[in-house]
Structure formats: structure tokens, C-alpha cells
Amino acid sequence: MAPKGHFKFDDEGFNDRAPATTNINKALEEKKEKQEKQEKQKKAEKFEKFQQQTQPQPHSPQLNGEKSSQQQQQQSQVLNKKRKREDNDRDGQKRHQVKREDNDREGQRRHQGHSGKELNGKSERLNNNGKGRNGSPVNSSLKAKANALLSKRKDLPIWAHQSEIRQSLAKKNVMLLVGETGSGKSTQVPQFLSTEPWCRPQMVKVAKDGKGPIEDLSVGGCIAITQPRRVAAISLARRVAEEMGTPLGNSSPASTVGYSVRFDNSISRNTKIKFLTEGMLLQEMLRDPWLRQYSAVVVDEIHERGVNVDLVAGFLQKMVSGKNEGRGGIPLKVVVMSATADMEGLLKFFDAGFKQPTAAVNGKGQKAIKKDEEETEWSGISSDDNKASKKAYGTPNGTVSKPGPNTDSKSNALVKKHKNGNPEGDESAPFTEFDPVKFGSPHISVCFIEGRQFPVKIFYTPEPVQDFVDAALHSIFQIHYKEPLPGDILVFLTGQDTVENLEQLVREYASGMSPELPKLLVLPLFAALPQAAQQRVFQPTPPKTRKVILATNIAETSVTVSGVRYVIDCGKVKIKQFRNRLGLDSLLVKPLSKSAAIQRKGRAGREAPGQCYRLYTEKDYLQLAQANTPEILRCDISQAILTMKARGIDDIINFPFLDRPPREALEKALLQLYQLGALQDDGAISEVGLKIAKLPLTPSLGRVLLAAANPDMDCLLEAIDIISALSVENVFLNLTSEEKKEEAETARRDISRREGDHLTLLATVQAYAGENSDRKAWSERHFVSHRAMQAVMDVRKQLRAQTTHLPISADDIVAYDSRTYAVTPERAGLILRCFLKGFSHNTARMMPDGSYKTIIGNQTVAIHPSSGLFGKKVEAIMYNEFVFTNKSYARGVSGVQMDWVGEALA
């Protein structure tokens, strides 16, 4: 049982506690120095005694106090055994390294042979001396680091199960793996599988597009590992590359580990392990529906239940249960991993694919389904609803089926232990008791890996807190003053705005600390942060410094920040909520689930015993929902439907969803896609829809780009700039004092546009990009977030590269970037009309009383105070998002004409 307690915030000044903490730290340092001196003295005495015992003195007679010859002989035998054991360990490590290098070289040769692309001997292939293209020792330092990390890998709980995992996947094509926090599943499983015989490229004869002539194609050779967030994909890829002793991504042609995330693709032609986000895998499915590049797909953190992972699971279920005709009969291996997933429901879901009928098509063009098969077909209802069913799963007559012939008894025993493996003790873990004997399958193997979790003491607040940002601020400094080093702090907040607000407050208070106290290094971590800034979180903490990471929920899973001993959980999370009847998509701050709270707490116990400070009461915790509501049940699914249509799935209703979305949501998404021109009258995907699906954007923003690329509009580069600015949460700094707001309003006059926020963002991006001397100073003068603008420029660069199929040339980009004049009102009107093509459903008109009501839904909406149009009256408005705080607000607002709206809705 995890220890629990209550804490309260001190009302005394922060600096009043400095002397006591300083004394504690001094005492700890003195104690540490004393222990080090004692250890050194003991080692010196031991070494001196060892020399006296083992080195004979031929010119001196044996004294009475010396050891007898028999004792010396025993001592010599012990030393010989010790030396022999050390030699064997070194030989074993060398053999392991040589074998792995041989496997890597053999795999590379096979891959090159199948692809028909041989590396140029001296220029790109590594020679026997381990040198690269320029003659530099590329692999020597990487291999040395990999050997140093090998001992840590062997200590992971999953290391002992590698043979079990390999054997299971050799027999069956689907594995469900429950790996508790700290088991090492995310980094080790792809390495275990990359050397398997079935994970090699094979030449097959298939029709490339399913209808054309038969061709020789290479199938397999790479493993895909999906992650719900880009920061997890990049950090895991970097870690696995270090453990394998290989360069990362496109930094070297010899790299075997890479990653692919939105707007960043870093792989080489020899990549064997690729980490990617679920959205990127869906994009690859549009280009290659059979995923011929991969031998296996590992779906990690499936419990997060985003829309994309639900689609990935549905596509994979159909693929693994088919005949693999598009892969030349070579099966695709699928591994589904999670620390907190309903494995019973997942097993039913994947097993249902194998139970689908293969009968002939009847006269109505639909498959004839036998009665008994129809009764066992999975209905798409959530697992909680399925528990109410009285019919046992597995056989047509409701009897319990026996396990398949290949059911692993060891895995069964491990999964049974899962019931008592609750790391929280009294807390209700988000697992359901799973009995693989009852729900055995001849097609799917199940494995459970225990985690490595240190005890974490939990503290609750005695009373609910009114402001969790202020409460987090107090908690940070209480920990810093009272707890000795080492021990970094991880704070979970709701979004970029709260992260940046708390970051500023912590820096202000830290500047007034006593110089005798350890320093505070404050680092933010959220999705819109540039990659270089995100990776700073994973760097070692400097001496005499405590790192404070202010993160959103992206740090809950997959990402392990070394050194964290203390977690502060605000108890809230920002989630998307779509109201189908109104067609409004909103970001709401809501209480988190128990499973998320347990995941957050676990971050403090990855490396040593830790503490978790929950900024809510224990009563509030007990009232939390058990798990997060799947995103597909609460979000706009128009992008998911478009992806399915582009993938060739026309029967949306019968698609195997993990949780079937409401029929109203499906109808709303189809209607919205039809209004965007992505669907034809008969529901089939249109040419416009295919173009939108290939863009890494939402359907609305994709439609904007296509409209801007129209020769009649010719404002594609301007649209890219605005969309890049919309990709981050907030370009402008969030100011609290009225004095600062007035100062910022004056400073931003040269970039503010009367048309509204979209044109203001365009002017900001153009001015920032045109600043060639000091962009950071420019940002400070205009109260613009330099960090956010760096991310905007990255997205801008990638979007330009990914729209080369649209009418845009290098000369157009050069001319656009060198332009210094502002956008004319006529051109501004063209840009806004392009955005109306994608956001016609996000419009409102002014009423006689001065308020605004949405054109679709007739709901009252107000302009958000952060908008440049706040307090102004225009004929009609277009907005990016609809948010609920104390009232309904429209954010990202621009003024438009009613005839433009009518034109877009026509």
C-alpha cells in the first residue's frame, strides 16, 4: 500500500526557511565527504593487505604471524576463480558485441541486395576499422556507449522475457503485451524483434496497386513503433539508437534507428526500427495500404485511446486476419502494448477479425453470414457495455472455449498475477481481471511483464484548492526548501498557457532566493515547443541545481525524465469536446481520470523512492472516473472519416472501431466533409478529398490550402504562414497586468491588422521572418513568444516542402520572402475568403443588440478578450475555435462580409 498523507502550504515567506535548509544541506555534504574519506581509507588498507598476502618475499624467512601455505593456496584459488569469472564476462560481452555487429552487417547486406542499391564501398560502407565516410571513427564511441548501457538493459524486467516474446511471435502474428511502468517495453521490444528471421526483407511477386501487372517487390525488413505524441517518438528513438550503438535518423546512412513525426522525418535507407506517431502511420497507409515496408507494427500506449490509435487498430485488425495478398502472403506481425489497458476487450477485438466469415457474396452484394458466426461477431460496443452481456464469449452456444494449442502457460500465470499487481495498493488500478484460459485464442498470444516501480508517498490537500497554479508554485518551493538534493520536480499542468505563467512566476521567486540555496532550472515541456527546447528536459541536471519541469500530459507515458523524485499533480487535464448538434469543437479543462493520476504518480518512482503531491483531496480522487473517455467518442471525427475514405473504406458504419462513435457524430462528420467538397454526392471521396487527406492538416485547414492554391486566389504562401501560426497555442505573450497590456498594444501597432487575428498573425510571421539581425530582441519588443515563433518557422518550412505538388515554385518563395510591403486590403479579402472555404461552419453574424449568434446552430457567442476584434463591431465574424470559460467565446476571430459567408456555404 502506498503511503499517503496530507500537506498544507506554509504562510511564511519563502526565504524564511533558507537557513534551516542550508544547515541540512551542509550536514548532508559533510556526511557524504566523511563517508567518501572512510571508503578511500578502507580501499587503501585492503589493497595494502592484499599486496602483503599475495606477493611472496623470497629473501625473507616466513614469520610466525604470517599465513600458512595452505591458507595461501586457498587465497590463490579464490583469486584465480575471480580472474577467470571476470575474463569470462569480458569474453561474453565481446562475443555479444561481435554477434550483434555481424547481425547488423548481415541485415544491411540483405536489405541492400533486395533493394538493388549497394552502398559505395569506401564512401558510405563502414570498413573493418569502424570508420565512416570521412575516415572518422563513427562507431567506436557509439558502440562503447551501447556496451555501457547493456548492463542497464539487462536489469530491466522485460529482459528475462525476450525469448518468450520472440517465440510467441514466431508462432502467432498478434501479441497483447501488458508491461507495467518501468518494465522497459517501449525500448526493448523493437530491439528483440529486429534480429528475428521473419524481420528480414523478402522478395515477392505481387501487383503493386492490386490491379496492375505482377512485379517483384521487397516486403518487410523494418519495425514500426507508434507513439501517441511526437516528443515520445523522438526521445525513444534517440534512446534506442544509443542502446544499439547506431547513429540516429538521417545523420548517417549506416543508421538503423529513425523516427517520423509531423513535419519531421529522420530516417535512412538502412532504418530497421522506426518510431512514429499514429497519424504518420495512417499517412503511410494512404501511400501503401499493405505496409510492405514493415515486418511488424508495435502499437504502444494504446490505453491513451486517441482517434488515430483507434483507426490504426481497426486497420491492423483487418490486415492481420486477411490473406495478405498485397504482401505476397507474408504476414504482418502486430504487438499491442500498454501499462493500463483492458486486455480482455482488446483480445475480443482482434480475435473478432479472425472470426469474420469468408462466405461467398450473396445476391445483394453483401457477405452471407452464418447464424452462429453472427452471434460471436464483435459489436463495437465498449468493453464496459459488453460485461453486461450474459453470453460467454468464444463459442456460438455460449460455452467457455478452451485455450488455443499455442497458449503459453507462463504468460497465463503472469497475467493472473496482474490482479494483485496493483502498484497503488488501495487505489483502484485501471485494470480488469483477465483470464486468458477463459478467453484463449489460437491466433493471439498474451504476455504480462511486471514493472520496476519504487515506492511513492502520496500527499493530498486537506481542502480543495482554488488556484492550482498558485498551489503548484507554493509546492515547488516547499519541496525545494525542505528536500535535499538530488531530486528534480515534475509538475503536471493543463496547457501551454498555464505552463508559461507558472514558468514566469517560478523564475521571479527563484531570483530572490538566498545564494546559498541550490539553483532552480525551470524547463517547460508541451507539444508546441520546438524540438531542441523539448530535448533540454532530458539533459542531465547541472551540479548544485534542481530541475523543475513544467509539463502538460505529454509527460504521463513513454517519456522518462531522469532524476525526477517529486511529482506535483494539478488534477486537471485539457481535453477536446465536440458538440455534434452545434458543430462546435472546444478545449475544456476537466478533472483527470484515475488511470492518468496513477501514471503521473509513477513518474516519481522510476529511479528511486519518490513523493507525489496531489493538489486535490483524497475524496476528489476517489470520485474520479476510472479511465479517460476515448477521444473518438467526444471529438470531431471528420478527419478520421476522411482518412478511412482515402484508405478505401466506404462502409464506415461497419468498420471495426474499438469503441463505436455515436451515429450522430458519424453523420455530422460526413456532412461536414461533404460541405468541404471532400465527398461526392454518393458519399465516395472526391479528388479534393484525396488531396486534403495527403496533407498533415485537419480537413478544414487542408481545404484552406487548396483554396489558396487556386489561381484565382493565388495566396498559398500567405495561407501557409497563417496556418503555421495557428499550429501553436499562442504566439503572443499572455500578459496579466493592465500596464503591460497597454504597453504591448502600443508595441504591436505595426503588426496589428484591423481585419482581425488571421491577418495579424500573417503580419507577425512576415515581420519575424524578415528580421535578420536579432529575432529574439524583436520578439521581446513586440511581446511575442520567441519560443513559439521558432516552432512556427519550423512548421512553415515543413509545410512549404510538403506542398510542392501545389502550384508553388522556388522563385515564388524567394519573391515572397523578399517582399517588404504589407498585404493590401484587396489581397486580405482574398485570404479571408480562402479561410471561409474551410471554416464556413465557424461563422457568426451580429444581431441588432450587438451580440453575435452562430449561423449554424444559432448559439450566442462572444469575441474572446485576447482577440484584436474584442470590443469592436463587425458585420460577421469567422473564428478558429469555440471555448467555454465563464461564457461562450470565439477565439482566433476575423471580420468577414455576409456575402462571403453565403458564397462559402453555397
Side-chain angles (χ1 to χ4, degrees):
M1 180 179 296
K4 295 181 291 187
H6 294 85
F7 69 97
K8 61 181 180 178
F9 308 114
D10 274 331
D11 294 329
E12 302 175 7
F14 291 139
N15 291 330
D16 294 340
R17 293 184 292 273
T21 310
T22 305
N23 294 334
I24 293 174
N25 289 335
K26 285 182 178 179
L28 290 172
E29 290 177 2
E30 291 175 357
K31 184 178 179 180
K32 187 176 180 181
E33 290 176 0
K34 187 176 180 180
Q35 290 176 349
E36 290 177 354
K37 288 180 180 179
Q38 291 176 352
E39 288 178 1
K40 288 180 180 179
Q41 187 176 357
K42 287 181 181 179
K43 287 181 180 179
E45 293 175 353
K46 187 176 181 180
F47 180 74
E48 184 178 355
K49 187 176 181 181
F50 171 76
Q51 284 184 326
Q52 293 175 357
Q53 292 175 350
T54 57
Q55 294 181 0
Q57 299 178 4
H59 301 291
S60 301
Q62 185 177 0
L63 301 178
N64 293 334
E66 293 181 341
K67 291 184 177 180
S68 65
S69 59
Q70 184 177 2
Q71 290 174 325
Q72 289 179 355
Q73 186 176 2
Q74 291 176 351
Q75 180 72 19
S76 177
Q77 290 176 354
V78 171
L79 291 172
N80 289 335
K81 287 181 180 180
K82 183 178 180 181
R83 292 192 190 99
K84 188 175 181 180
R85 187 166 58 249
E86 292 175 349
D87 292 340
N88 289 337
D89 290 342
R90 283 193 295 269
D91 292 340
Q93 290 181 3
K94 288 179 180 179
R95 284 195 300 270
H96 179 79
Q97 179 181 355
V98 170
K99 184 177 180 180
R100 187 171 59 186
E101 290 175 351
D102 291 341
N103 290 337
D104 291 344
R105 284 194 292 270
E106 182 67 19
Q108 290 179 16
R109 282 198 295 269
R110 287 196 182 97
H111 181 74
Q112 293 161 2
H114 286 301
S115 62
K117 297 180 180 179
E118 292 291 332
L119 292 178
N120 189 7
K122 292 183 180 180
S123 63
E124 294 185 346
R125 183 183 298 156
L126 298 177
N127 58 27
N128 293 331
N129 295 326
K131 296 185 178 181
R133 289 182 295 180
N134 302 324
S136 59
V138 176
N139 277 345
S140 58
S141 60
L142 294 176
K143 293 296 182 183
K145 189 170 185 179
N147 290 334
L149 292 173
L150 182 60
S151 60
K152 294 183 179 180
R153 294 178 60 197
K154 290 181 177 179
D155 290 338
L156 293 172
I158 200 171
W159 185 268
H161 299 274
Q162 58 175 306
S163 60
E164 175 190 347
I165 294 171
R166 287 171 170 159
Q167 291 172 9
S168 297
L169 281 173
K171 298 176 183 177
K172 303 179 184 181
N173 294 332
V174 182
M175 167 177 277
L176 305 182
L177 191 150
V178 182
E180 288 185 346
T181 301
S183 62
K185 61 184 182 300
S186 300
T187 56
Q188 303 309 306
V189 168
Q191 296 185 67
F192 296 162
L193 304 183
S194 63
T195 56
E196 286 296 282
W198 50 261
C199 193
R200 296 171 183 168
Q202 303 179 50
M203 295 302 295
V204 297
K205 292 183 179 294
V206 294
K208 188 173 183 180
D209 57 357
K211 299 179 181 179
I214 301 298
E215 301 181 25
D216 290 332
L217 295 177
S218 176
V219 174
C222 186
I223 297 175
I225 309 96
T226 68
Q227 294 293 327
R229 300 178 182 87
R230 56 180 290 152
V231 62
I234 296 172
S235 61
L236 287 172
R238 180 172 283 105
R239 175 67 181 188
V240 171
E242 291 176 351
E243 292 183 353
M244 294 184 66
T246 176
L248 176 63
N250 54 14
S251 61
S252 169
S255 169
T256 57
V257 180
Y259 64 87
S260 178
V261 298
R262 187 171 179 241
F263 304 129
D264 190 2
N265 189 33
S266 181
I267 57 173
S268 73
R269 60 177 136 185
N270 291 321
T271 297
K272 294 195 67 177
I273 296 177
K274 182 160 77 170
F275 288 84
L276 69 171
T277 55
E278 297 142 0
M280 293 306 296
L281 184 63
L282 290 174
Q283 286 287 321
E284 292 188 10
M285 284 183 177
L286 296 180
R287 299 189 295 269
D288 179 14
W290 291 100
L291 296 176
R292 296 187 183 98
Q293 177 187 355
Y294 302 108
S295 296
V297 174
V298 181
V299 183
D300 198 8
E301 308 296 351
I302 195 171
H303 70 274
E304 296 246 340
R305 297 300 308 278
V307 173
N308 288 336
V309 78
D310 278 24
L311 289 185
V312 167
F315 287 134
L316 292 178
Q317 187 234 52
K318 295 171 72 69
M319 195 178 300
V320 297
S321 59
K323 296 181 180 180
N324 297 299
E325 59 270 17
R327 295 173 57 88
I330 298 176
L332 177 72
K333 307 286 186 178
V334 174
V335 182
V336 180
M337 304 193 304
S338 176
T340 59
D342 175 17
M343 303 310 288
E344 179 181 325
L346 287 172
L347 190 143
K348 288 182 180 180
F349 172 76
F350 279 98
D351 202 42
F354 292 99
K355 294 179 179 295
Q356 291 291 334
T358 57
V361 177
N362 61 19
K364 294 183 179 180
Q366 297 180 353
K367 291 181 179 179
I369 302 175
K370 296 180 181 179
K371 184 178 180 181
D372 56 349
E373 290 174 331
E374 187 176 9
E375 288 178 347
T376 61
E377 195 174 23
W378 185 73
S379 64
I381 305 174
S382 63
S383 58
D384 291 337
D385 295 332
N386 280 337
K387 291 175 184 177
S389 175
K390 296 182 180 179
K391 183 180 290 293
Y393 177 84
T395 56
N397 58 4
T399 58
V400 177
S401 62
K402 295 181 180 180
N406 295 327
T407 303
D408 196 320
S409 59
K410 187 176 181 181
S411 296
N412 295 343
L414 286 170
V415 178
K416 287 178 182 178
K417 289 173 62 179
H418 196 201
K419 180 182 179 183
N420 298 324
N422 184 353
E424 283 290 314
D426 59 328
E427 291 189 359
S428 208
F431 302 108
T432 57
E433 182 182 2
F434 176 64
D435 186 356
V437 175
K438 180 180 177 181
F439 297 100
S441 170
H443 312 286
I444 304 169
S445 58
V446 181
C447 183
F448 174 73
I449 310 295
E450 291 181 324
R452 185 181 62 184
Q453 184 76 20
F454 292 90
V456 177
K457 188 174 182 180
I458 305 172
F459 295 93
Y460 294 94
T461 57
E463 300 292 337
V465 296
Q466 299 299 322
D467 185 353
F468 62 80
V469 174
D470 182 66
L473 176 67
H474 282 76
S475 301
I476 289 171
F477 281 94
Q478 281 186 230
I479 293 171
H480 185 56
Y481 288 139
K482 295 182 178 180
E483 302 294 341
L485 295 178
D488 296 335
I489 304 172
L490 175 60
V491 186
F492 284 100
L493 299 168
T494 55
Q496 177 181 342
D497 52 348
T498 54
V499 167
E500 291 180 338
N501 287 345
L502 185 57
E503 180 185 6
Q504 182 181 359
L505 290 172
V506 173
R507 292 185 190 278
E508 289 177 358
Y509 277 95
S511 62
M513 289 193 313
S514 170
E516 297 179 354
L517 284 170
K519 298 180 180 178
L520 281 179
L521 176 62
V522 187
L523 298 174
L525 182 61
F526 48 85
L529 201 63
Q531 182 182 335
Q534 287 179 343
Q535 295 306 314
R536 287 183 60 198
V537 171
F538 304 101
Q539 296 174 0
T541 307
K544 297 182 179 179
T545 304
R546 191 190 302 274
K547 191 159 55 178
V548 179
I549 301 105
L550 309 178
T552 59
N553 60 346
I554 68 172
E556 277 182 14
T557 56
S558 297
V559 177
T560 298
V561 182
S562 180
V564 171
R565 303 287 188 275
Y566 309 99
V567 165
I568 300 174
D569 179 11
C570 73
K572 304 289 183 181
V573 64
K574 187 177 287 187
I575 62 173
K576 289 182 179 179
Q577 188 75 44
F578 185 70
R579 300 172 66 184
N580 294 306
R581 293 184 180 179
L582 302 179
L584 300 177
D585 199 355
S586 307
L587 276 175
L588 305 177
V589 176
K590 289 190 172 183
L592 79 173
S593 64
K594 285 184 181 178
S595 63
I598 294 171
Q599 287 285 342
R600 292 183 178 186
K601 185 214 69 171
R603 301 295 102 183
R606 294 298 296 267
E607 300 175 342
Q611 298 177 9
C612 177
Y613 294 79
R614 289 176 171 168
L615 304 181
Y616 46 93
T617 64
E618 186 174 6
K619 180 182 177 182
D620 291 337
Y621 170 79
L622 296 175
Q623 294 175 351
L624 295 176
Q626 194 68 40
N628 296 325
T629 303
E631 190 178 13
I632 201 167
L633 300 180
R634 54 178 170 80
C635 288
D636 179 16
I637 57 175
S638 58
Q639 186 170 11
I641 300 300
L642 181 63
T643 302
M644 295 167 65
K645 290 285 187 180
R647 180 71 167 71
I649 307 296
D650 290 324
D651 188 4
I652 303 296
I653 301 298
N654 293 320
F655 181 80
F657 292 102
L658 277 170
D659 283 281
R660 189 169 301 279
R663 188 180 185 90
E664 185 181 16
L666 291 171
E667 293 174 351
K668 189 72 179 180
L670 290 169
L671 179 60
Q672 182 180 344
L673 292 174
Y674 178 74
Q675 291 173 344
L676 292 175
L679 298 181
Q680 300 176 7
D681 293 343
D682 59 354
I685 191 168
S686 65
E687 289 296 325
V688 171
L690 287 173
K691 291 179 181 179
I692 295 175
K694 294 178 181 178
L695 296 171
L697 298 169
T698 63
S700 296
L701 291 176
R703 186 67 184 90
V704 171
L705 274 190
L706 294 183
N710 191 305
D712 295 336
M713 298 298 182
D714 190 25
C715 54
L716 178 59
L717 292 172
E718 288 91 340
I720 288 176
D721 284 356
I722 298 173
I723 291 173
S724 301
L726 293 174
S727 66
V728 301
E729 191 166 331
N730 200 352
V731 165
F732 300 106
L733 296 177
N734 190 11
L735 306 174
T736 54
S737 66
E738 291 298 327
E739 182 181 355
K740 285 289 185 182
K741 289 180 179 179
E742 292 177 1
E743 188 179 349
E745 185 178 354
T746 304
R748 295 174 186 161
R749 283 179 179 173
D750 58 332
I751 57 175
S752 296
R753 293 294 300 253
R754 63 182 180 85
E755 293 89 350
D757 298 336
H758 294 83
L759 273 298
T760 298
L761 288 175
L762 174 61
T764 303
V765 173
Q766 290 177 338
Y768 182 87
E771 179 63 32
N772 298 320
S773 56
D774 191 347
R775 290 181 174 178
K776 186 174 183 180
W778 182 92
S779 301
E780 291 175 352
R781 290 197 306 271
H782 290 82
F783 294 88
V784 170
S785 172
H786 177 58
R787 182 189 296 151
M789 289 306 300
Q790 287 178 310
V792 169
M793 300 308 290
D794 289 342
V795 175
R796 182 188 196 230
K797 179 180 178 181
Q798 294 293 332
L799 271 180
R800 285 182 172 185
Q802 295 188 26
T803 53
T804 53
H805 61 285
L806 298 176
I808 181 175
S809 65
D811 293 336
D812 294 334
I813 294 176
V814 172
Y816 177 83
D817 290 342
S818 60
R819 192 173 62 188
T820 56
Y821 56 88
V823 176
T824 62
E826 293 77 13
R827 193 162 185 82
L830 292 176
I831 295 171
L832 291 177
R833 287 168 63 188
C834 290
F835 270 85
L836 276 172
K837 286 290 185 181
F839 291 91
S840 60
H841 54 284
N842 281 13
T843 51
R845 57 186 174 184
M846 188 176 67
M847 306 305 292
D849 60 357
S851 64
Y852 291 94
K853 285 196 174 183
T854 59
I855 294 177
I856 299 178
N858 200 33
Q859 296 293 309
T860 301
V861 62
I863 298 176
H864 197 272
S866 63
S867 172
L869 289 183
F870 179 70
K872 299 178 182 179
K873 303 298 180 183
V874 292
E875 179 183 0
I877 60 173
M878 172 188 64
Y879 52 89
N880 293 325
E881 59 178 342
F882 197 87
V883 296
F884 295 94
T885 52
N886 56 340
K887 60 190 298 187
S888 302
Y889 283 113
R891 288 184 61 180
V893 183
S894 287
V896 294
Q897 299 178 16
M898 276 302 299
D899 56 341
W900 295 353
V901 178
E903 176 187 330
L905 290 173

